[in-house]
Amino acid sequence: MKKLFLLLILSIGILSCEKNADDNIENQNQLLLKDMNPYKGTKETIVTIIGEGFNIDISLNKVTLNDKICPIISVDSNQIVFSIPENANSGNIVVNSGILTSELPYFTFLRTINEEEVVASNTVGINKPYGIVKDDLDNLYVLDNFNHQIKK
């Protein structure tokens, strides 16, 4: 009876080991994206994605925003760092690492505008405007340097 019980325990242990080995192989074939920071920015914003399964060979990774290629700055097995290209527009970030593909939620692309494109005078209450940004809804935001405010 003791031999049968010992044989049963050993069989369960062996079967458990095989299942864990299969799980490890399965996890190696997944690209898991956990977080992205920041979720909005202008062209040339540096974005970091934290995850698992990135290929450490930078040439085997590709990041796109609305089918525009984002230049990759660095990569390791747990994160990828890239910059936002010009005129990318808002949308989902798609990451290809080797043969694996995954997608992250919405990145909001903020357009920058030259100060010459906006007429800011004292009649609208802006004093010493600095840093003009346009969002996806075509709202303009201006830093009112003298009044220490951001005005829409």
Side-chain angles (χ1 to χ4, degrees):
M1 186 69 169
K2 287 183 182 180
K3 289 181 183 180
L4 183 61
F5 180 72
L6 183 59
L7 184 61
L8 180 62
I9 296 292
L10 285 174
S11 298
I12 291 173
I14 291 171
L15 291 175
S16 296
C17 289
E18 289 177 14
K19 184 174 188 266
N20 288 337
D22 290 342
D23 287 346
N24 289 337
I25 291 169
E26 184 179 311
N27 288 339
Q28 290 173 355
N29 293 324
Q30 293 181 0
L31 181 59
L32 177 61
L33 306 180
K34 296 179 180 179
D35 195 16
M36 175 174 68
N37 189 32
Y39 279 88
K40 64 182 174 180
T42 61
K43 68 178 181 178
E44 300 177 358
T45 296
I46 305 300
V47 179
T48 301
I49 295 176
I50 304 297
E52 295 175 10
F54 298 116
N55 195 309
I56 59 173
D57 182 348
I58 199 167
S59 67
L60 296 177
N61 294 283
K62 181 172 120 179
V63 178
T64 57
L65 175 57
N66 292 323
D67 297 323
K68 293 204 179 221
I69 295 176
C70 302
I72 297 174
I73 298 166
S74 66
V75 66
D76 63 37
S77 61
N78 296 315
Q79 75 174 18
I80 190 164
V81 179
F82 59 95
S83 66
I84 299 297
E86 189 172 359
N87 298 321
N89 294 318
S90 297
N92 292 341
I93 300 280
V94 177
V95 179
N96 299 84
S97 188
I99 61 169
L100 307 174
T101 300
S102 195
E103 193 171 312
L104 270 169
Y106 207 73
F107 181 87
T108 302
F109 183 81
L110 303 172
R111 290 170 180 49
T112 56
I113 299 173
N114 295 328
E115 290 181 22
E116 297 85 35
E117 295 180 35
V118 176
V119 177
S121 68
N122 287 333
T123 58
V124 293
I126 298 174
N127 196 345
K128 299 197 183 210
Y130 180 83
I132 300 167
V133 177
K134 179 179 172 185
D135 67 13
D136 282 351
L137 302 174
D138 292 332
N139 295 308
L140 295 177
Y141 298 90
V142 179
L143 173 62
D144 185 343
N145 203 25
F146 185 75
N147 293 320
H148 307 287
Q149 297 178 346
I150 296 175
K151 300 209 176 179
K152 183 175 176 183

